[in-house]
Amino acid sequence: MTAPKTFRIGGDLEVRRLGFGAMHLRPETAEDRATCIAVARRAVELGVTLIDTAHLYGWGANEDLLAEALHPYPADLVIATKVGIRHTTSGEGWRHAGEPADLRDQVDEALLRLRLDRIELLQLHRLDPGVPIADQLGALRDLRDEGKIGRIGLSEVTVAELAEARAVVDIASVQNRYNLLDREHEPVLKACEEAGIAFLPWRPAAAGTSGARSSQIAAIAQEVDATPTQVALAWLLAHSPAVLPIPGTSSVAHLEENVAAGAVQLTEDQYERLTK
């Protein structure tokens, strides 16, 4: 099976479908920081053109690190980030932050950290249940119209929430948990595919650790001379042209393994065995 190598987010922003999730780049020491910077730079060297980050990842530290590692950015590199969550010292350590004024502040803060004049893909990390969807998406629409945002995405939404958001503004991407062994959000993926919306699965490389399912993955990995992780990513790429996997790691070796999954070719039979 031959899957398309690229996707146009929002219909015009072309990226390679196999991207990189930067959430694991959270250094605690100077040595860790050097390794994390090396991983980010190696991703670009390997041809990755879509890197996903968020304010939540280290409360801005992840965005700072990417800017340190990669700025000035290559012309074809898209840094996608997320807003809509703030740090708190109580409870789970975070809270929803979808008030329009807060979203505007968060976007301005992200622009400063990433050293950008415009964020080409800005995603709402979570819908705030205490704020009308129209108000949240309306604020991002206004920021888009002002030129601070290029395209707007969502994360962890249902089909109904996606439809409600699209009634307010064009949605370019959706980021939900999804992988070969966890397809809870298949209806959302299908809705995205039908609408030409990019679907960025987080936790995309889950390949299982026991039972018949992981045995089947391991068997096919042996057949195609690849790792189980590569097979799981190759299945995602074959499953829908709208899927843009963003596997994350803090290891150069794992990064290289993940990116190499783009070259793994599954036969129709292997794809069907995995799908079943």
Side-chain angles (χ1 to χ4, degrees):
M1 299 178 65
T2 302
K5 298 294 185 183
T6 64
F7 185 91
R8 293 183 181 272
I9 301 175
D12 63 347
L13 184 65
E14 187 170 30
V15 297
R16 289 185 65 176
R17 288 179 60 206
L18 193 54
F20 173 65
M23 70 173 296
H24 294 295
L25 303 184
R26 302 189 194 185
E28 296 184 1
T29 66
E31 184 178 356
D32 289 341
R33 190 170 192 84
T35 299
C36 290
I37 288 173
V39 169
R41 290 175 176 169
R42 183 60 177 149
V44 173
E45 290 172 358
L46 292 170
V48 169
T49 58
L50 173 63
I51 295 180
D52 175 80
T53 182
H55 176 236
L56 173 63
Y57 307 158
W59 304 115
N62 195 258
E63 293 168 319
D64 284 332
L65 185 139
L66 289 175
E68 179 182 346
L70 302 173
H71 191 273
Y73 304 110
D76 62 347
L77 180 64
V78 175
I79 305 289
T81 193
K82 297 184 281 294
V83 297
I85 291 178
R86 287 288 198 184
H87 182 251
T88 178
T89 56
S90 61
E92 296 181 350
W94 63 271
R95 63 173 176 82
H96 294 283
E99 291 288 348
D102 201 350
L103 290 174
R104 178 174 289 273
D105 287 345
Q106 291 172 63
V107 169
D108 286 340
E109 292 161 11
L111 287 166
L112 286 172
R113 285 191 295 265
L114 289 168
R115 307 179 200 174
L116 290 171
D117 296 320
R118 167 181 162 116
I119 297 168
E120 292 298 341
L121 179 60
L122 189 285
Q123 302 160 99
L124 190 56
H125 210 147
R126 293 290 187 277
L127 290 171
D128 188 335
V131 180
I133 287 179
D135 291 352
Q136 297 176 70
L137 274 299
L140 298 185
R141 179 193 58 213
D142 292 345
L143 287 163
R144 183 201 63 185
D145 293 346
E146 293 169 21
K148 292 185 176 183
I149 296 171
R151 295 148 201 84
I152 297 166
L154 301 171
S155 181
E156 286 302 287
V157 292
T158 64
V159 171
E161 289 168 338
L162 173 59
E164 186 174 354
R166 292 183 68 206
V168 180
V169 68
D170 292 336
I171 298 300
S173 70
V174 169
Q175 189 170 149
N176 280 18
R177 188 191 69 252
Y178 185 90
N179 58 63
L180 175 58
L181 299 182
D182 179 359
R183 303 183 215 171
E184 175 186 352
H185 295 295
E186 187 78 27
V188 180
L189 167 57
K190 293 307 179 186
C192 288
E193 186 177 331
E194 291 170 4
I197 295 171
F199 185 86
L200 283 62
W202 61 269
R203 199 178 294 161
T209 56
S210 63
R213 296 185 301 177
S214 59
S215 296
Q216 184 71 277
I217 295 168
I220 292 173
Q222 188 170 17
E223 292 170 18
V224 297
D225 191 25
T227 67
T229 292
Q230 289 171 333
V231 166
L233 292 171
W235 179 84
L236 281 174
L237 293 169
H239 188 54
S240 169
V243 170
L244 280 62
I246 47 170
T249 180
S250 59
S251 158
V252 169
H254 289 161
L255 167 70
E256 292 173 345
E257 175 188 355
N258 292 339
V259 172
V264 174
Q265 295 291 317
L266 300 174
T267 66
E268 291 280 357
D269 174 70
Q270 289 165 339
Y271 170 79
E272 291 298 335
R273 284 156 57 196
L274 290 166
T275 301
K276 292 176 182 177

